Amino acid sequence: MTLPRRQFLAGSAALTAGAALGLHSSPSHAQLALGDFKIDVVSDGSLTLPGSFIFDPMPQDELLPILEKHGQSAEVLTPPCNVTLLRHGDRTVLFDVGAGPDFSPNSGILLDSLDALGVSPDDVTDIIFTHAHPDHLWGLLDDFDDPLFPEASYMIGKTEWEYWMNPNTITDIGEARASFAVGAQRRLSMIEDQIRLFEDGEEIMTGIAARATVGHTPGHMALEIRNGSESVMVLGDSIGNDHIAFARPGWISGSDQDPETAAATRSSLMDQLSHEKTRVIGYHLTGNGTGYVDKTSDGYAFVAEA
């Protein structure tokens, strides 16, 4: 299932109306410590999407009671956008760069959130992309189409890079997502000489390892940050919400580009994370996105940290 452009625009209109009513995003913040690794989770605002974007392929008679239990509307989704910042020694690392000003009217506040921590774009030394969807990539450039983080080096999974930079992707991805491909190619081409590609399982920086979590996009990566015996996994969109994705990880979601593969990835990841009690940071999970995966009698649950 793909999201028709008119449905996405309708969601954006709802978001604009919400802003008019005073429902503004704020630079929410959480802090985690892994030894001498300092991790902050900051806000890039939020999105507003029609529920059909995710829920249409799902069995509606089973879906609605789960949504009601979680207080989640079947009509509108308003997921937060949580960006991870890691500081260690002389490195200041961002995992994704948010949506920028051109994707959704209530997102694009990453610079304000970083400024609240005393971090400027010039301070960022490294940027690691989980994938190249607009709300993770389009904050890359400034108003003059120059890289917003001028001192940074960039890293992305090899499969993800090859997919979005393939000229055939613009036509093959489908009309509803064609603008995603155009936007990704334009932005990635601006940093082509500064980007390093990595593979599944690779330690791409000290204490940061790549974990292929494909399906949401063809080369989606989660990143495990480890310091001694402590670890946290930056999920990106491999687990995209804190309700249906946990309660029924094997269900097909309309938000995924390869829904069957994404469902298999999600189920396997849930099993691992719950078994190992791994702390997670989810880009679209509730609040600041930090917490744990708990195994329940009939699925999983997200246990958010205060």
Side-chain angles (χ1 to χ4, degrees):
M1 176 255 187
T2 56
L3 174 65
R5 186 176 288 110
R6 64 180 180 273
Q7 284 188 314
F8 185 83
L9 292 175
S12 296
L15 179 53
T16 303
L21 292 171
L23 305 178
H24 299 289
S25 296
S26 61
S28 59
H29 173 238
Q31 190 170 92
L32 296 72
L34 267 67
D36 56 353
F37 285 14
K38 183 178 181 181
I39 300 172
D40 294 274
V41 184
V42 297
S43 177
D44 189 50
S46 62
L47 305 177
T48 293
L49 302 170
S52 58
F53 180 46
I54 289 178
F55 302 140
D56 261 8
M58 299 178 179
Q60 299 299 301
D61 57 335
E62 298 178 56
L63 168 70
L64 294 178
I66 296 172
L67 295 181
E68 183 177 355
K69 175 183 175 182
H70 287 269
Q72 169 61 50
S73 166
E75 305 301 323
V76 179
L77 292 152
T78 56
C81 298
N82 302 306
V83 177
T84 302
L85 172 74
L86 168 66
R87 286 175 281 183
H88 179 235
D90 62 351
R91 313 312 294 178
T92 298
V93 185
L94 276 178
F95 296 79
D96 297 328
V97 293
D102 299 328
F103 182 60
S104 178
N106 219 35
S107 60
I109 67 168
L110 176 61
L111 291 188
D112 292 337
S113 298
L114 292 175
D115 183 64
L117 295 178
V119 176
S120 76
D122 290 349
D123 295 329
V124 176
T125 59
D126 306 274
I127 292 171
I128 304 170
F129 295 108
T130 61
H131 65 300
H133 273 169
D135 52 327
H136 298 254
L137 174 69
W138 284 18
L140 181 65
L141 303 179
D142 65 17
D143 292 338
F144 301 97
D145 273 358
D146 293 322
L148 184 59
F149 304 92
E151 304 302 318
S153 62
Y154 305 90
M155 287 171 272
I156 194 170
K158 184 174 185 289
T159 300
E160 189 75 357
W161 171 269
E162 291 175 346
Y163 174 76
W164 292 105
M165 293 302 285
N166 184 336
N168 294 328
T169 295
I170 292 174
T171 54
D172 293 346
I173 198 173
E175 181 183 358
R177 285 187 166 100
S179 63
F180 291 12
V182 172
Q185 286 186 19
R186 183 169 75 83
R187 288 163 175 83
L188 292 174
S189 66
M190 299 293 292
I191 57 171
E192 189 166 5
D193 294 336
Q194 301 156 269
I195 201 158
R196 180 167 74 83
L197 308 183
F198 57 83
E199 305 271 9
D200 178 31
E202 184 178 340
E203 185 174 29
I204 60 177
M205 294 181 65
T206 300
I208 303 175
R211 164 72 185 272
T213 45
V214 300
H216 183 69
T217 62
H220 188 287
M221 290 280 186
L223 289 310
E224 183 180 24
I225 305 169
R226 180 171 291 278
N227 191 351
S229 61
E230 297 182 287
S231 68
V232 61
M233 188 170 290
V234 178
L235 296 172
D237 284 0
S238 55
I239 301 175
N241 59 70
D242 57 283
H243 35 82
I244 293 299
F246 282 82
R248 298 293 183 270
W251 280 5
I252 298 300
S253 171
S255 64
D256 298 322
Q257 289 185 221
D258 182 345
E260 290 79 11
T261 299
T265 293
R266 196 161 45 244
S267 296
S268 175
L269 190 58
M270 291 280 192
D271 185 63
Q272 176 198 337
L273 294 171
S274 63
H275 178 73
E276 297 178 356
K277 309 296 185 188
T278 302
R279 179 184 275 177
V280 301
I281 303 171
Y283 199 82
H284 295 305
L285 299 187
T286 188
N288 294 304
T290 61
Y292 296 85
V293 179
D294 188 31
K295 184 77 172 70
T296 66
S297 60
D298 61 348
Y300 299 87
F302 178 56
V303 182
E305 293 187 332

